[in-house]
Amino acid sequence: MLLYFKIEANKVVCYAHPDAPLIEDYRAGDMICSECGLVVGDRVIDVGSEWRTFSNEKSGVDPSRVGGPENPLLSGGDLSTIIGPGRGDASFDSFGVSKYQNRRNISSTDRALINAFREINTMADRINLPKTIVDRANNLFKQVHDGKNLKGRANDAIASACLYIACRQEGVPRTFKEICAVSKISKKEIGRCFKLILKALETSVDLITTADFMSRFCSNLGLPNSVQRAATHIARKAGELDIVSGRSPISVAAAAIYMASQASEDKRSQKDIGDIAGVADVTIRQSYKLMYPFAAKLFPEDFKFAIPIEFLPQM
């Protein structure tokens, strides 16, 4: 038996012209040598689409036979059959009701999970969260739903709390107000579900610090790196000196940004910082009052002051 091809490094090539590129004949399923025309492979499986589809088609008919990707969080791996809408008389009974219903193929559990996953994905898209956080939030919701630990709580509230926990566990925490802004649930309800989920799943999250928010807040405010480094140093030093004990890290970060920006050429008002950080002007002012008497100790040594420390705003 003659061999008209050979395999080199898991690649089929022509035995006479191993460096020649092969031409694939999709209609016949053959692989042909471009130099001598020898058929070196036959019955090649075509993995392309069975039909041509165009993006400007308005019929709304999708001719592809495959569904979405497999979802291991759903029972059966989300491999259930979805029946398309009927178009002929044979698809309806004498009363005009469709004979084939998709609702019978999807359990109530899967339907609740699908709606929650869709809600988590929508919220994550609004605040530009990566897929890794979405996947972790989906897993958390699945664990809570299967354990039936939060009966009586709305699925949207549980989904929002799962997204908040996922952000904390992935090291990119978001504030309750940021989650609340993209959710339909109140901040208080998200906070309640957050505590219940941590207790039910016996999990924990790392404590948030000012450094978790500093880079994002400064970036959204359009501040240069020098101000960001100064604000980070101010917040860390204030914590070491125990100046702002009892204050939330978000309010301390906002006050540190305000102090650093006022000492530089890129000044930002309390209202601008409060809108980005999600804290009230009064909250920033209270933290700033505690930090102001120690301003000389809080700034880094290499910081270039646009104005002397003595001329910083007094509250």
Side-chain angles (χ1 to χ4, degrees), residues 23-200:
I23 301 173
E24 190 168 354
D25 185 354
Y26 293 100
R27 184 178 295 274
D30 297 335
M31 297 184 69
I32 306 168
C33 176
S34 59
E35 289 290 335
C36 61
L38 180 68
V39 177
V40 297
D42 59 354
R43 297 183 182 180
V44 178
I45 298 175
D46 182 12
V47 296
S49 176
E50 198 167 348
W51 294 273
R52 290 190 304 163
T53 55
F54 303 95
S55 59
N56 58 351
E57 284 185 349
K58 298 181 180 179
S59 61
V61 178
D62 183 10
S64 61
R65 292 183 179 175
V66 295
E70 182 179 351
N71 192 343
L73 298 178
L74 301 178
S75 60
D78 196 22
L79 296 177
S80 58
T81 302
I82 303 297
I83 302 173
R87 293 182 177 80
D89 294 337
S91 301
F92 303 93
D93 59 15
S94 57
F95 299 100
V97 179
S98 178
K99 293 181 180 179
Y100 309 105
Q101 302 286 338
N102 280 322
R103 192 171 289 272
R104 297 174 187 169
N105 296 329
I106 304 176
S107 64
S108 59
T109 300
D110 280 358
R111 194 177 303 116
L113 290 174
I114 290 171
N115 292 334
F117 295 163
R118 187 183 299 117
E119 181 67 19
I120 289 173
N121 194 60
T122 302
M123 290 188 293
D125 284 343
R126 290 176 180 171
I127 51 179
N128 300 319
L129 294 177
K131 191 176 183 302
T132 53
I133 294 178
V134 175
D135 291 341
R136 182 179 284 270
N138 289 343
N139 273 294
L140 288 171
F141 186 91
K142 171 74 171 175
Q143 294 176 37
V144 173
H145 191 271
D146 290 349
K148 299 179 181 180
N149 306 109
L150 274 71
K151 284 187 176 181
R153 300 287 177 180
N155 283 342
D156 288 348
I158 300 174
S160 302
C162 287
L163 185 62
Y164 176 80
I165 295 172
C167 291
R168 292 273 296 268
Q169 291 181 342
E170 288 291 330
V172 284
R174 295 296 186 268
T175 64
F176 276 118
K177 287 189 176 180
E178 287 179 294
I179 300 297
C180 184
V182 297
S183 173
K184 298 173 285 188
I185 309 300
S186 66
K187 177 184 173 184
K188 185 180 293 186
E189 183 64 19
I190 296 175
R192 288 173 182 162
C193 290
F194 164 69
K195 294 179 180 178
L196 291 173
I197 291 172
L198 292 183
K199 183 178 180 181

